[in-house]
Amino acid sequence: MKKLSAYNISKAYGDKEIIRDTSLVVYEGELVCLLGVSGVGKTTLFNILSGLLLPDEGKVLLDGRDITGESGYISYMLQKDLLLPYKTVLDNAALPLVIKGKNREEARKTASGYFETFGIDGNQNKYPHQLSGGMRQRAALLRTYLFSQDVALLDEPFSALDTITKSAMHSWYLKVMEKIKLSTLFITHDIDESILLSDRIYIMTGKPGRITSEIKLDCEKPRGEEFLLSHEFIDYKRQILNILHED
């Protein structure tokens, strides 16, 4: 079942065309990576998908409903966790529910019910500076999830983490995503990360940017570190590098 679809998206700023005739789809329960070099238009595309920007052409659908230019339907998490330093972890997580009109206590109760699932139980009354980088990202992902519980747009959420923490977060996120039945579209510049996590990879190239290739990964998940040494991994990486080098 299609959760998020975008058709023939184009966007320019003045005379500078950023994205041209770009389409994609995310199916229910999928993790799809959007891979490309800096400046190719990935973040602009995310801003359009989330309703923060209106495309010059094209449309965005959620469960078949046209939400083009409408914010509030798609969760969007930027590279930094952006937790509010003066609010507790619980109040940070509950913030989307308060914005949507729930009273504070009801929002806190709902958010707290997910703390165990997201691996941050016991930290409700701490402040962001008291958490490790990985725990801050878990809290930020919970806040993102509570904004919209169907589809999440993640813009390099693990890029600031060290290698060991990032590997642990990959494994954790796949488990949580399956448990809460979340569909994810994920921006990354990291080819290894895209191969480890994705069901499918869209490759965005050119100026203006367009999705020029789609790669479906048939190997089972989760894919551990040993997968990085496999022939399958090397074949996928070679295929992606060839596409990027051709551009």
Side-chain angles (χ1 to χ4, degrees):
M1 176 181 172
K2 292 181 181 179
K3 289 300 294 181
L4 176 66
S5 309
Y7 298 101
N8 309 115
I9 300 293
S10 295
K11 181 66 181 178
Y13 296 115
D15 295 331
K16 186 174 182 182
E17 193 175 11
I18 306 299
I19 302 170
R20 178 186 295 170
D21 195 25
T22 288
S23 301
L24 59 79
V25 62
V26 179
Y27 292 94
E28 188 172 4
E30 271 195 317
L31 192 152
V32 177
C33 274
L34 183 62
L35 182 67
V37 299
S38 296
V40 78
K42 300 186 299 298
T43 298
T44 297
L45 179 57
F46 263 35
N47 287 336
I48 291 170
L49 294 175
S50 64
L52 297 176
L53 275 179
L54 192 65
D56 298 329
E57 296 179 13
K59 60 183 178 179
V60 179
L61 305 180
L62 178 65
D63 292 324
R65 181 193 166 199
D66 191 340
I67 59 165
T68 309
E70 297 182 33
S71 60
Y73 293 99
I74 304 290
S75 299
Y76 186 4
M77 180 174 163
L78 302 173
Q79 182 174 347
K80 294 183 179 180
D81 60 68
L82 299 179
L83 296 175
L84 300 175
Y86 54 87
K87 286 186 177 288
T88 64
V89 176
L90 179 56
D91 283 334
N92 266 285
L95 187 59
L97 302 176
V98 174
I99 291 171
K100 289 183 175 183
K102 281 194 174 186
N103 68 61
R104 184 174 297 177
E105 290 310 310
E106 185 181 1
R108 284 173 172 170
K109 183 177 179 181
T110 300
S112 189
Y114 287 98
F115 268 58
E116 183 175 355
T117 298
F118 278 74
I120 51 175
D121 199 26
N123 293 287
Q124 283 88 332
N125 295 319
K126 292 183 178 179
Y127 286 86
H129 74 272
Q130 296 175 293
L131 301 184
S132 66
M135 295 294 274
R136 287 174 63 105
Q137 289 301 90
R138 292 185 186 210
L141 284 162
L142 172 54
R143 182 181 61 185
T144 300
Y145 171 70
L146 290 175
F147 182 81
S148 170
Q149 298 182 1
D150 288 323
V151 181
L153 306 179
L154 306 182
D155 191 346
E156 297 196 89
F158 308 133
S159 61
L161 302 176
D162 63 81
T163 302
I164 295 173
T165 304
K166 181 189 282 192
S167 178
M169 287 294 289
H170 286 166
S171 177
W172 167 82
Y173 185 73
L174 291 175
K175 289 177 183 176
V176 170
M177 189 180 147
E178 182 177 4
K179 186 172 183 178
I180 62 179
K181 303 187 185 307
L182 182 67
S183 306
T184 303
L185 183 61
F186 189 114
I187 284 179
T188 184
H189 296 96
D190 186 333
I191 295 174
D192 292 7
E193 182 174 60
S194 71
I195 297 171
L196 283 172
L197 293 178
S198 301
D199 296 294
R200 290 182 296 119
I201 299 171
Y202 285 116
I203 300 178
M204 198 168 180
T205 61
K207 288 187 181 294
R210 294 186 305 116
I211 290 176
T212 54
S213 300
E214 176 188 350
I215 297 172
K216 182 176 181 180
L217 290 90
D218 295 320
C219 35
E220 291 186 3
K221 293 194 295 183
R223 302 165 192 145
E225 291 186 2
E226 68 280 357
F227 181 72
L228 293 169
L229 303 175
S230 70
H231 292 296
E232 286 177 301
F233 174 84
I234 293 168
D235 287 343
Y236 283 127
K237 188 166 185 176
R238 184 182 293 116
Q239 184 180 354
I240 293 168
L241 286 170
N242 285 342
I243 292 167
L244 294 173
H245 288 159
E246 284 174 7
D247 179 63

